[in-house]
Amino acid sequence: MAGYVPHTDEELEEMLGFLGLEGLDELFSVVPPALRLAGGLDLPTGLSEADVLDRLQQLGGRNRGAELVCFAGAGAYDHDIPAATRALAGRSEFVTSYTPYQPEVAQGVLQALFEFQTLLGRITGMEISNASLYDGASACVEAVNLAGAQTGRNRMWVSQGVHPHWRQVMRTFAAGTGHEIVEVPLVDGVTAWPEVASGAEAPAALLAQSPNFLGCLESLPDARRVADAAGALLLVAADPVASGLLRTPGEQGADVVVGEGQPLGTALGFGGPYLGLFSCRSSLVRRLPGRLVGETVDGGGRRAYVTTLRAREQDIRREKASSNVCTNQTLMAVTAAIQLGWLGTSGLRELALRCARGTRYCREALLGIDGVTPAAPAPTLREFAVRTSVPAATVVDRLADEGFLAGVAVGPGYEATPYEDCLLVAVTERRTRAEIDAYAAAFEKAVR
Amino acid sequence: MAGGGRASSAPVLGRDHEPTLFELSRPGRRSASFRSTGIPEWGAEELVGEEHLRPEAVDTVEVSERDLVAHFTRLTHRQYSVDVGAYPLGSCTMKYNPKVCDEVAALPGLARVHPGAPAALSQGWLELLVELESALCAITGMAAATLQPAAGAAGELTGLLLMRAWHAAAGDERRRVIIPDSAHGTNPASVTLGGYDVTTVPSDDRGCVDLAALRAALDTDVAGIMLTNPNTLGLFEEDIVEIAAAVHRVGGLLYYDGANLNAILGVTRPGDMGFDIVHMNLHKTFATPHGGGGPGAGPVAVAERLVPFLPGPRPMRRGDGVLDWEEPPRSIGRIHSWHGNALVLARAYAYILANGSDGLRRVADAAVLNANWLRRRLSSSYDIPFDRPSMHEFVASTATLKRRTGVRALDVAKRLLEEGFHAPTVYFPLIVDEALMIEPTETESLQTVEALAEALERIAAEALEEAASGSDLGVGSPSAALAPRTTPVGRVDEARAARQLVPTWDARPAD
């Protein structure tokens, strides 16, 4: 057993003596005897540190996926994480600190979050960004809740281009809020927004993702026009890497921008912890979910940072709070600030460009194969979907034996659409021409 | 007194103002470099249609790697953390995070796995999740668990949606959830988002749920009750079996807020007390680091009859030993983008393996011993509103001190920062006037807890002394009122931050 409890036997005796107790069991005399666990927990006894590492390493060794050359995306991307980001984000002062409720000893985290909020505002084109939510899905849920509260309406129009898992999560939480999630279908890979029929209930919001789940770029000005006609908010899920090349959602009329921040320096990690991004117009700040850091001064007039507009939050407003979020993903937000700092203005653009180039090169290589066709004609940036002559899941299985994670088979969420059983392929700046050529050659064999 | 791991002082560095990244930025500087790929270098306009392409790069920041590293390293000098010193935060449980857990989370076999990889390519991960689930069930006395919730509050909401689905399956539309007045603020917020109305029940003069008031509030419109035991005053709800019976009698479910689970590890289990739904804040009980406010992880365990409703997909071992994802038959649906905060889950699993059944019991023993020792020790210098045996935490109050010296709980907290300790939780629970909620945790040595007690005693004595001698500042205790003075910044003007909102560098009025 590892020794994380520092008390010596002598100290235990001394402390029990101070309390007038005979033994440790007496500490729990308030627990009714019928509730006492006889014989202790049904778990093995503790292991040494080395044994723990061996065991976890053994489990890790059974994840064949860790060794494959990754062409999977679908909201989780295999980017390089630079040494500086790794080293700084791993500093134990960031890793082992608490929520910054005592700002005088938490200026490090608070300033890093303030910088994160500023950087996120610049890449989304929005005025306010919070200090993060759990993941892309939770950011969508909170955006929809904000839209419902702001408009007093219940119905949400959600594009089928939004990540299918995020749509599922929105449905789950709508069971509590009573929101009605109406999915708007895709035509040729992009959302075909309808007009609000006369007499029909207008939506609280439209939610679009661009680039969408299939990698296609949506027309946000079109969505804005429909939202305006309906008196609805426009919620946009955006990708922070794509923002290196694309016009910001803010300048295209978004009221709220959400997203998944994993591409900014966070490991794939089997899906978590990731980073939920949330930005909005300043007029919506009183309904902002989660933490917000603001600049202020200390008693001596020195610049200082603090979590602010706390009156929105659950610990103060309780059942009337704008959200129940308490813990967020601060460490990932700090990581994203570091990563955006490392990339810099020119690096973020170059990263996006390199992803787009690799995607184009890979797409052309796959489309040159007999039996592989594009799932949608729309332009794509860092990801694309193809239809193959064999089921996508089979392609993934076969390519795993050749050393590749071929992509993600488009599954639940796209039933009975033209995209059912397509293969979604992502290319990041990590993929080389040689890897893509080898992948395409293996792909050709796999779909034969 | 022998040394014992007490922080030597507040951070000694970091007293100089640290410029923001934006002030450090100089056009033309850069850190980034990219690998050579051999891919054709198409231009942006060839790749992205004109209607989508931004003509120029979005202006973020331009710094050298050296500047970047120096900047964030200097920020760490302005930050208190568990690795720096003790964090006696009641209800938040900030204990030492074993380093081996970080090493586990960095293992390439875990960290490099794409979440969309098929189950056949992630058998190790599924196995880890299934084993962790079963360990959490053994600890809580429940039948099965979902690991998807990304934090305790997400777990609460998941639990309420499970409650809703359970009643709905019986065609039962109930509207109310009962919460004690001492509950965490997330409880009522989660109840609202779960589509229920909050009914608050008072605590009695012993600090426990008022059983008569609870009975009066119960009827068939009550979907359930949210409780933590030990409760947020650090007291064990001795009537829990009666409470469970009363709630079950009207067809309600019992939800266990697992924020305080560390006090009862290996001693008793929520399942044995009659709870139907249990969430666990893994960072509090299983020592995963809190990252300045997250990530967390908030698995939810349930009794047998609620298992079909759990979020899906769930990792399951099939008859042939192969692991696969399965959708529970009446699932409430998915609640995370993927499978939950997996690397946090891996850390918690490593912690459980390292401690084992013997070590986890030792955690509860030492946590409860430290809390009782400190409560007894402080009872001569602070009010202890409910002076009964504590579990892992207790509530003290500065009400008397304030009456005699003007010193509030907040002043004591700020003064303690000067002493090299993080402050306790202040003004919570809401039902105690001038509350200081203190949880030493099991990883602090007797020497550290003694030093903490001495610091708190010194603060109280100093306040009484200064008030007695009269201060020309018009405050009872200048030492407390002016604290903290040894920290990177002095007392922060929170009101101004809210009144003149500056949420980004770009929103800052020009100097």
Side-chain angles (χ1 to χ4, degrees), chain B residues 218-504:
Chain B
L218 283 173
D219 60 31
T220 54
D221 197 32
V222 170
I225 183 169
M226 290 182 97
L227 277 181
T228 180
N229 194 18
N231 67 23
T232 43
L233 296 163
L235 304 171
F236 195 84
E237 297 277 358
E238 292 170 45
D239 295 333
I240 188 62
V241 173
E242 288 76 27
I243 292 172
V247 174
H248 283 150
R249 205 170 300 127
V250 296
L253 297 177
L254 273 83
Y255 175 96
Y256 186 92
D257 178 326
N260 300 337
L261 189 64
N262 57 328
I264 58 166
L265 290 171
V267 176
T268 180
R269 307 183 302 175
D272 303 333
M273 301 178 206
F275 284 92
D276 303 286
I277 304 168
V278 178
H279 97 251
M280 288 152 273
N281 304 67
L282 295 189
H283 73 276
K284 297 187 185 186
T285 304
F286 304 108
T288 69
H290 201 36
V300 175
V302 295
E304 194 69 52
R305 57 193 172 140
L306 286 155
V307 175
F309 298 89
L310 283 173
R314 294 181 60 208
M316 305 280 276
R317 194 184 297 278
R318 300 195 314 230
D320 59 0
V322 174
L323 293 130
D324 206 351
W325 297 108
E326 273 181 29
E327 198 65 29
R330 316 186 74 163
S331 176
I332 59 167
R334 179 186 281 279
I335 55 164
H336 189 267
S337 291
W338 296 99
H339 319 299
N341 281 348
L343 292 176
V344 178
L345 300 171
R347 280 184 165 97
Y349 188 48
Y351 178 86
I352 290 171
L353 287 178
N355 279 282
S357 54
D358 46 341
L360 292 175
R361 172 60 197 248
R362 205 170 144 81
V363 164
D365 285 344
V368 175
L369 183 60
N370 273 357
N372 278 286
W373 188 94
L374 190 57
R375 177 179 51 81
R376 168 69 65 89
R377 171 75 185 258
L378 290 180
S379 59
S380 50
S381 44
Y382 290 87
D383 303 323
I384 308 289
F386 302 98
D387 204 2
R388 300 171 49 215
S390 321
M391 299 301 279
H392 61 308
E393 63 191 3
F394 63 96
V395 180
S397 162
T398 63
T400 304
L401 194 65
K402 185 179 162 196
R403 203 171 57 243
R404 293 169 63 183
T405 70
V407 168
R408 302 164 296 164
L410 185 73
D411 300 318
V412 173
K414 298 303 183 193
R415 180 69 186 79
L416 195 59
L417 299 177
E418 292 184 338
E419 298 283 334
F421 289 99
H422 196 276
T425 300
V426 288
Y427 300 116
F428 182 82
L430 305 177
I431 56 171
V432 174
D433 189 32
E434 296 296 325
L436 287 173
M437 193 174 182
I438 302 174
E439 176 171 10
T441 83
E442 77 279 6
T443 55
E444 298 309 332
S445 66
L446 175 58
Q447 290 72 31
T448 301
V449 183
E450 275 179 340
L452 174 63
E454 281 166 15
L456 284 164
E457 286 163 353
R458 189 157 54 242
I459 292 166
E462 182 184 87
L464 291 167
E465 224 166 88
E466 290 179 5
S469 66
S471 105
D472 11 332
L473 288 172
V475 287
S477 171
S479 297
L482 298 176
R485 293 155 296 194
T486 60
T487 46
V489 295
R491 203 168 304 186
V492 170
D493 188 347
E494 303 200 16
R496 170 173 151 148
R499 208 170 50 240
Q500 301 168 30
L501 183 65
V502 182
T504 64

Side-chain angles (χ1 to χ4, degrees), chain A residues 225-316:
Chain A
R225 272 191 293 278
V226 175
D228 280 340
L233 297 187
L234 176 60
L235 320 175
V236 176
D239 173 78
V241 167
S243 72
L245 279 178
L246 302 181
R247 289 142 70 91
T248 63
E251 70 185 281
Q252 297 180 86
D255 295 299
V256 178
V257 179
V258 295
E260 175 51 70
Q262 177 272 337
L264 299 176
T266 293
L268 284 171
F270 205 49
Y274 282 5
L275 171 66
L277 306 176
F278 195 102
S279 306
C280 65
R281 297 193 179 286
S282 57
S283 56
L284 298 171
V285 70
R286 304 272 157 190
R287 298 193 193 277
L288 185 76
R291 297 204 179 97
L292 178 67
V293 174
E295 188 189 298
T296 183
V297 293
D298 74 356
R302 286 175 293 186
R303 190 195 290 171
Y305 303 92
V306 67
T307 58
T308 193
L309 299 188
R310 293 282 311 286
R312 299 166 294 117
E313 291 191 63
Q314 36 68 33
D315 57 328
I316 294 177

Side-chain angles (χ1 to χ4, degrees), chain A residues 55 62 98 122 172 360, chain B residues 46 60 127 131 334 506:
Chain A
R55 173 72 186 123
R62 285 181 210 156
Y98 178 63
R122 290 186 181 184
T172 303
R360 152 82 74 98
Chain B
E46 297 172 80
T60 53
E127 194 167 343
E131 287 179 10
R334 179 186 281 279
D506 300 324

Side-chain angles (χ1 to χ4, degrees), chain B residues 87-111:
Chain B
Y87 254 106
L89 274 165
S91 169
C92 298
T93 315
M94 290 291 286
K95 61 171 100 167
Y96 171 67
N97 312 132
K99 293 297 171 193
V100 66
C101 302
D102 292 340
E103 210 160 305
V104 160
L107 288 172
L110 298 179

Side-chain angles (χ1 to χ4, degrees), chain A residues 122-397:
Chain A
R122 290 186 181 184
I123 67 179
T124 58
M126 305 302 285
E127 293 159 311
I128 306 277
S129 299
N130 76 4
S132 78
L133 294 165
Y134 310 132
D135 60 0
S138 67
C140 289
V141 170
E142 297 290 343
V144 155
N145 290 351
L146 178 149
Q150 178 72 13
T151 60
R153 298 177 188 173
N154 230 13
R155 185 172 288 178
M156 308 290 160
W157 285 5
V158 177
S159 161
Q160 256 177 14
V162 173
H163 197 300
H165 292 173
W166 300 1
R167 284 184 274 139
Q168 289 167 18
V169 173
M170 280 188 273
R171 282 189 189 288
T172 303
F173 288 106
T177 54
H179 291 143
E180 185 196 353
I181 309 287
V182 178
E183 295 206 351
V184 180
L186 303 179
V187 173
D188 290 340
V190 294
T191 318
W193 296 108
E195 303 293 333
V196 181
S198 67
E201 186 186 327
L206 280 65
L207 172 60
Q209 186 175 359
S210 186
N212 67 22
F213 183 68
L214 302 171
C216 301
L217 296 172
E218 296 273 357
S219 170
L220 298 181
D222 285 352
R224 180 70 261 177
R225 272 191 293 278
V226 175
D228 280 340
L233 297 187
L234 176 60
L235 320 175
V236 176
D239 173 78
V241 167
S243 72
L245 279 178
L246 302 181
R247 289 142 70 91
T248 63
E251 70 185 281
Q252 297 180 86
D255 295 299
V256 178
V257 179
V258 295
E260 175 51 70
Q262 177 272 337
L264 299 176
T266 293
L268 284 171
F270 205 49
Y274 282 5
L275 171 66
L277 306 176
F278 195 102
S279 306
C280 65
R281 297 193 179 286
S282 57
S283 56
L284 298 171
V285 70
R286 304 272 157 190
R287 298 193 193 277
L288 185 76
R291 297 204 179 97
L292 178 67
V293 174
E295 188 189 298
T296 183
V297 293
D298 74 356
R302 286 175 293 186
R303 190 195 290 171
Y305 303 92
V306 67
T307 58
T308 193
L309 299 188
R310 293 282 311 286
R312 299 166 294 117
E313 291 191 63
Q314 36 68 33
D315 57 328
I316 294 177
R317 243 182 141 217
R318 299 173 83 84
E319 68 264 34
K320 294 190 182 67
S322 59
S323 158
N324 76 329
V325 170
C326 174
T327 286
N328 59 344
Q329 305 282 115
T330 301
L331 186 61
M332 280 65 219
V334 171
T335 304
I338 296 166
Q339 178 68 4
L340 284 168
W342 185 84
L343 285 168
T345 296
S346 60
L348 180 61
R349 186 169 177 94
E350 184 168 347
L351 173 64
L353 197 50
R354 282 170 172 265
C355 292
R357 286 170 182 160
T359 302
R360 152 82 74 98
Y361 183 77
C362 185
R363 187 167 187 262
E364 286 182 359
L366 293 195
L367 293 181
I369 298 168
D370 264 355
V372 179
T373 53
T380 64
L381 193 75
R382 81 213 234 54
E383 197 153 18
F384 59 94
V386 291
R387 210 171 278 115
T388 55
S389 42
V390 291
T394 308
V395 177
V396 174
D397 283 348

